Amino acid sequence: MSAAAASSPPPSRLSGFISFSRIAALMVKELIQMRRDRLTFAMIIGVPIIQLVLFGYAINMDPKRLPTLVVSADNGPIIRTILAGMQTSGYFDVASGFASEAEVEEAMAAGTTTYVVSFPPNFERDFVRGTQPQILVEADATDPAATSNALGALRQILESAFRPELAGPLALRAAEPLPVDLVIQRRYNPEGITSHNIVPGLLGTILTMTTILMTALALTRERERGTLENLMAMPATPLEIMIGKIIPYIGIGFIQVAVILVCATLLFHVPIAGSLFVLLAGTLLFVAANVTLGYTFSTIAKTQMQAMQMTFFWFLPSILLSGFMFPFRGMPVWAQWIGEVLPLTHYLRVVRGIMLKGSNLFDLGNQIWPLVVFWLAVGTLALVRYRRTLD
């Protein structure tokens, strides 16, 4: 053995098992593959940006400018002072003019107003005479978080509004804590039970996640298993294939609906004040829209992983901007515009309106037609995408 060979260090045992050059080559290969997978790369960049924007700008637990109707047979200066004080506080968006009792009930059932302020007849006369006339403030408490801050600040708002009026002949009343009898009525959820708001909302969020995800894997599973060519060779139109794919998932969705409704009534004692038939009809439309959207994702995605990524990308803004977790009217206008596109936003209003308010189909008409439009739009897109796949 030569002296050079004898003096050289023995080879490291680690180098026999691990090659750093091979590791580096695999890392470069993985980066190139990530760069080619544009959908995954968009998820890596897009999800953090969406979370930052939504949580930083769109989420607001203290909603302001909530729509308010006024019922009064009088329009004296004291009533105008009270309404001006409520408007100035920022919590209430007081409508001009007075509403009738029928208009109030219709607006409450449809969810187009959050508060109703009612003044009794002869309010001004009773106030000047020194009695404490009653002010009734009714709040839509289906979402307790949306109304609690405004109701908590209402007494202080009225005290500030009355302070300039309690002068001259009314100066003696300035010592009173509040010169009126303020009555607050929380409608539809008087005890402020959180589960009465959350559980109906969970019905929509669970259906959104599961039905879209299951259907999004419909065509991508066929593609990965190599059976997509057989499906294309069948003498079936794209519409027939789409209907055949989505109907079973609609049935699965209704199994979930049955389980959730039974648990909601038995475990959480959530009432179903309205028609169960109307609730199931609205749910059918919502589930159909979701499974059609999932099918559309399956025509775009090339792998099941991409389909799952697209589902998560849709689910994130749906759960944040629909009014499920955070008050819808507390969001900025641009976030509300995005939320109005999401089917979950309208379905939450449908299911909460039926279960808590007893709303009928006429009351919910403004929430039904957006679901129909969304369903038709994604269905058309799915058919167009499938034809492109055939080509």
Side-chain angles (χ1 to χ4, degrees), residues 3-24:
S7 61
S8 61
S12 172
R13 292 183 179 181
L14 187 63
S15 63
F17 295 97
I18 297 178
S19 170
F20 292 103
S21 62
R22 291 195 295 265
I23 292 175

Side-chain angles (χ1 to χ4, degrees), residues 221-268:
R221 188 187 299 113
E222 300 271 3
R223 182 179 289 109
E224 289 188 348
R225 292 178 178 177
T227 58
L228 182 61
E229 292 80 2
N230 297 332
L231 183 65
M232 292 178 179
M234 292 177 58
T237 65
L239 179 61
E240 292 170 344
I241 294 175
M242 183 177 71
I243 295 175
K245 284 283 188 181
I246 68 176
I247 285 182
Y249 296 105
I250 293 178
I252 294 175
F254 265 84
I255 294 176
Q256 293 181 323
V257 170
V259 172
I260 295 172
L261 288 180
V262 170
C263 292
T265 54
L266 296 182
L267 300 181
F268 301 100

Side-chain angles (χ1 to χ4, degrees), residues 17-239:
F17 295 97
I18 297 178
S19 170
F20 292 103
S21 62
R22 291 195 295 265
I23 292 175
L26 290 172
M27 290 172 58
V28 172
K29 173 258 181 190
E30 195 67 24
L31 291 174
I32 294 174
Q33 186 172 347
M34 290 174 59
R35 185 185 64 183
R36 291 176 177 175
D37 189 355
R38 297 181 180 179
L39 182 59
T40 300
F41 187 76
M43 289 287 295
I44 295 173
I45 302 299
V47 170
I49 293 177
I50 290 178
Q51 288 182 321
L52 286 172
V53 171
L54 294 184
F55 280 99
Y57 292 104
I59 305 305
N60 178 19
M61 296 301 295
D62 187 19
K64 301 292 183 68
R65 299 296 176 187
L66 299 177
T68 305
L69 295 179
V70 181
V71 178
S72 177
D74 196 356
N75 191 24
I78 298 177
I79 291 179
R80 292 197 297 269
T81 298
I82 295 172
L83 298 179
M86 296 176 66
Q87 181 78 25
T88 304
S89 69
Y91 283 107
F92 304 91
D93 184 11
V94 181
S96 59
F98 297 145
S100 63
E101 293 290 344
E103 292 172 340
V104 165
E105 292 300 323
E106 180 180 343
M108 275 290 197
T112 56
T113 189
T114 306
Y115 301 102
V116 177
V117 183
S118 300
F119 297 93
N122 303 319
F123 177 86
E124 296 271 345
R125 184 194 65 184
D126 294 341
F127 184 87
V128 172
R129 289 181 177 180
T131 61
Q132 279 193 322
Q134 185 182 88
I135 300 178
L136 174 61
V137 178
E138 301 172 87
D140 183 349
T142 52
D143 186 359
T147 58
S148 58
N149 289 342
L151 295 179
L154 186 57
R155 180 172 292 271
Q156 183 179 357
I157 292 171
L158 293 181
E159 290 176 355
S160 300
F162 277 122
R163 194 172 295 120
E165 298 293 328
L166 300 180
L170 301 176
L172 295 176
R173 307 200 60 188
E176 300 177 16
L178 190 64
V180 296
D181 180 17
L182 177 61
V183 178
I184 297 177
Q185 180 181 358
R186 294 173 173 84
R187 299 185 58 174
Y188 311 122
N189 188 10
E191 298 178 358
I193 301 175
T194 306
S195 61
H196 286 188
N197 174 262
I198 295 296
V199 173
L202 281 173
L203 176 60
T205 54
I206 292 173
L207 289 175
T208 298
M209 185 62 181
T210 56
T211 55
I212 294 179
L213 179 60
M214 289 187 300
T215 321
L217 303 178
L219 284 182
T220 52
R221 188 187 299 113
E222 300 271 3
R223 182 179 289 109
E224 289 188 348
R225 292 178 178 177
T227 58
L228 182 61
E229 292 80 2
N230 297 332
L231 183 65
M232 292 178 179
M234 292 177 58
T237 65
L239 179 61

